[in-house]
Each structure stands twice: as structure tokens, then as C-alpha cells.
Amino acid sequence: MPMPMEYRQASVDFDRFMEDLKAISMLRTSHQAYTMLQAVLQVFRRRLTIEQAIAFAGVLPPVLRAIFVSDWDIAEERRPFLSESEMMLEVKALRHNHNLSTETAIRDVAAALRRHVDAAAFERALSQLPQGARDFWQVPATR
């Protein structure tokens, strides 16, 4: 079997994703955008079962998939989906001294992510998750 194109193109695709995320969030550097991305993915992951998280990861591009599962403490207690403002406090807590996440970080990451996934596969994966998970990745129509 030849190497899947998604792996051959992984770095290029990730760079495109990061450029979109920076543009959407109006952050200046990839370092700032990366911290925000990592925080949002961790906040989401903490609210899923292991099975749900692995199914969700399966529809992410390779580098985003790796970030989603990296540094995962599977023994960490699962958290409930809360209001966006409550979950944003958690986003901003990651490396808080160096975290420049926007006030709309969850929506910013959602908007960028939706540009870089297979839309049908993403929606299928979300349809298998709790309503809070589906709400987490909603993007306002104005984006």
C-alpha cells in the first residue's frame, strides 16, 4: 500500500491550518495560536469517554489528531460540558502566563477546524457524541 496522502502532506496541511487559525483569531504568531489550539482540544477531550475521543480523533487531520491525544492523562476525571464562558476559563488556564487565547478561542478553533476536515465525516462523528460536544464545535453563521 502506498503512503496515504494525508501523512505525506501532514506538515503542509498543518501549516495551512495554523495560518487560518491565526487569521481567524487575529493572533500574531503560531506559538500563540498553538497554545490556544492545544487548550481548546484538551478542554474538549476532557469531556469525552476514551472511546468517544478516539472516534473524534479519527476524523482529524494527522497533526491535529496527534495534538488532540498528546499528553493525555486517561485517568483524569471526565468533566461535564459547561457554558462556553466557563470552558473558556479552562482554555485560558493552560500555560496561563503565556496563553494569549482570544475571548472566542473555542469558536475560533472550531471555525478553522471545520475548514480542514472532511465535513461529512466530521458531522457523522459529532452525531455520535453528546449534545454538548456538538454544541462545542458550532460556528456562528457570521464566521
Side-chain angles (χ1 to χ4, degrees):
M1 176 178 171
M3 179 188 305
M5 189 56 77
E6 72 172 344
Y7 297 138
R8 183 176 298 276
Q9 287 287 117
S11 293
V12 171
D13 292 344
F14 181 64
D15 288 343
R16 286 184 187 131
F17 170 84
M18 291 301 291
E19 288 303 316
D20 275 351
L21 183 56
K22 283 177 10 188
I24 289 166
S25 64
M26 295 188 283
L27 290 173
R28 296 177 55 131
T29 72
S30 294
H31 297 290
Q32 294 166 342
Y34 178 81
T35 295
M36 182 174 73
L37 167 67
Q38 184 183 33
V40 169
L41 291 176
Q42 287 180 7
V43 166
F44 181 69
R45 183 183 70 199
R46 287 183 186 121
R47 286 151 175 82
L48 302 178
T49 66
I50 292 172
E51 294 81 7
Q52 290 169 333
I54 294 299
F56 177 78
V59 299
L60 298 177
V63 177
L64 294 174
R65 186 181 317 141
I67 295 166
F68 182 72
V69 300
S70 68
D71 302 320
W72 191 357
D73 177 3
I74 61 169
E76 182 179 23
E77 188 173 325
R78 197 169 76 166
R79 299 180 188 184
F81 283 97
L82 304 169
S83 71
E84 183 176 345
S85 60
E86 290 170 302
M87 290 187 288
M88 278 301 306
L89 294 174
E90 194 177 330
V91 166
K92 290 185 173 214
L94 178 70
R95 291 191 296 280
H96 68 279
N97 290 331
H98 303 283
N99 188 329
L100 299 174
S101 293
T102 64
E103 295 301 317
T104 57
I106 294 171
R107 286 179 269 148
D108 294 346
V109 171
L113 183 65
R114 285 181 171 277
R115 292 181 184 180
H116 294 270
V117 296
D118 176 303
F122 191 71
E123 290 303 326
R124 275 193 305 276
L126 289 179
S127 74
Q128 302 301 308
L129 299 177
Q131 184 62 47
R134 294 191 295 274
D135 294 342
F136 190 93
W137 295 111
Q138 289 306 309
V139 177
T142 60
R143 286 217 175 246

